[in-house]
Amino acid sequence: ETGVTQSPTHLIKTRGQQVTLRCSSQSGHNTVSWYQQALGQGPQFIFQYYREEENGRGNFPPRFSGLQFPNYSSELNVNALELDDSALYLCASSRVLSNEQFFGPGTRLTVL
Amino acid sequence: QKEVEQDPGPLSVPEGAIVSLNCTYSNSAFQYFMWYRQYSRKGPELLMYTYSSGNKEDGRFTAQVDKSSKYISLFIRDSQPSDSATYLCAMSSMDTGRRALTFGSGTRLQVQP
């Protein structure tokens, strides 16, 4: 069984740029959630995708957007990057609307 | 006040000790409770998942939930240096459709050989 994978591993961007992060869900899972984890903090929920539609969003501005594809993989897009966007971005997959979420290794984003 | 409170530590114990990690929460809608282990610069790994009040055991790990006190615990028996990591509690509600997890800030555990 293949686990959750994310790409890239690390990314460095400058303020104002745009970034796209990618996630492949674990086999058999059709729900994908994205979280932001600042240094020394717990992950914070950004949004969740189910059946290719956003299924709930946390307290993040519209410049954070996403997509889910028919194969259940997902993208997180962040526009107009700010210094505070520097964090570990985590993708988690689960069976349909299950609370048991399995995380990928994350993408570490640094905004300069 | 945060919805989920967790002592950040660090908690340092000798190898073989029993470790107790705790979280308190304020939102009575939380019904599902999880413990994750996170090694440095890695993604969180699901250790325990519980729904009802009471205890759940899996190997050296025991998760305890007390919904009346809004308090959850994770016990690690016979702790090993490889248990050194940050432990995150997480919880979610029965909100129809969405299953967003709300995390504590994590407790850093160091098990000394």
Side-chain angles (χ1 to χ4, degrees):
Chain A
E1 186 178 76
T2 307
V4 179
T5 60
Q6 291 186 245
S7 62
T9 305
H10 297 95
L11 208 49
I12 299 175
K13 292 285 187 179
T14 56
R15 195 169 47 183
Q17 285 189 310
Q18 177 266 343
V19 69
T20 298
L21 310 181
R22 295 178 174 82
C23 170
S24 292
S25 61
Q26 186 169 316
S27 62
H29 290 182
N30 58 12
T31 303
V32 173
S33 303
W34 286 92
Y35 293 80
Q36 180 196 66
Q37 186 177 24
L39 200 60
Q41 300 297 316
Q44 285 204 306
F45 175 73
I46 303 175
F47 44 54
Q48 182 180 85
Y49 276 84
Y50 172 62
R51 290 186 174 176
E52 301 177 48
E53 291 190 357
E54 188 179 290
N55 183 49
R57 169 180 281 263
N59 190 26
F60 281 82
R63 59 189 185 85
F64 286 78
S65 63
L67 285 172
Q68 186 181 33
F69 301 100
N71 66 354
Y72 310 126
S73 66
S74 177
E75 284 183 356
L76 164 65
N77 299 290
V78 187
N79 294 323
L81 284 167
E82 300 177 1
L83 298 180
D84 285 349
D85 295 333
S86 295
L88 181 67
Y89 287 85
L90 295 161
C91 168
S93 74
S94 58
R95 298 185 189 280
V96 57
L97 302 177
S98 168
N99 291 283
E100 278 188 286
Q101 297 186 15
F102 297 87
F103 284 82
T107 293
R108 186 160 298 279
L109 173 65
T110 301
V111 182
L112 302 176
Chain B
Q1 184 188 7
K2 292 182 179 180
E3 281 190 290
V4 180
E5 297 281 356
Q6 187 174 8
D7 188 329
L11 178 62
S12 184
V13 301
E15 184 175 353
I18 296 175
V19 175
S20 172
L21 304 166
N22 311 294
C23 287
T24 59
Y25 62 96
S26 57
N27 187 348
S28 58
F30 288 142
Q31 299 290 324
Y32 302 92
F33 305 92
M34 287 134 276
W35 285 95
Y36 286 86
R37 177 174 62 195
Q38 187 173 28
Y39 292 112
S40 180
R41 298 184 173 273
K42 302 291 185 184
E45 172 193 1
L46 182 62
L47 288 177
M48 299 290 283
Y49 170 75
T50 58
Y51 169 68
S52 57
S53 284
N55 293 351
K56 179 179 179 180
E57 190 173 316
D58 184 0
R60 296 186 297 114
F61 299 95
T62 299
Q64 192 172 78
V65 174
D66 182 348
K67 289 183 181 178
S68 62
S69 300
K70 297 190 179 68
Y71 187 88
I72 68 170
S73 300
L74 177 71
F75 298 95
I76 307 174
R77 290 182 298 282
D78 188 24
S79 57
Q80 303 295 310
S82 58
D83 294 327
S84 298
T86 295
Y87 289 80
L88 296 156
C89 64
M91 43 200 82
S92 67
S93 70
M94 291 184 70
D95 182 18
T96 302
R98 196 182 84 166
R99 295 290 187 263
L101 301 182
T102 301
F103 282 85
S105 56
T107 299
R108 192 156 60 93
L109 171 66
Q110 295 173 333
V111 181
Q112 307 293 342

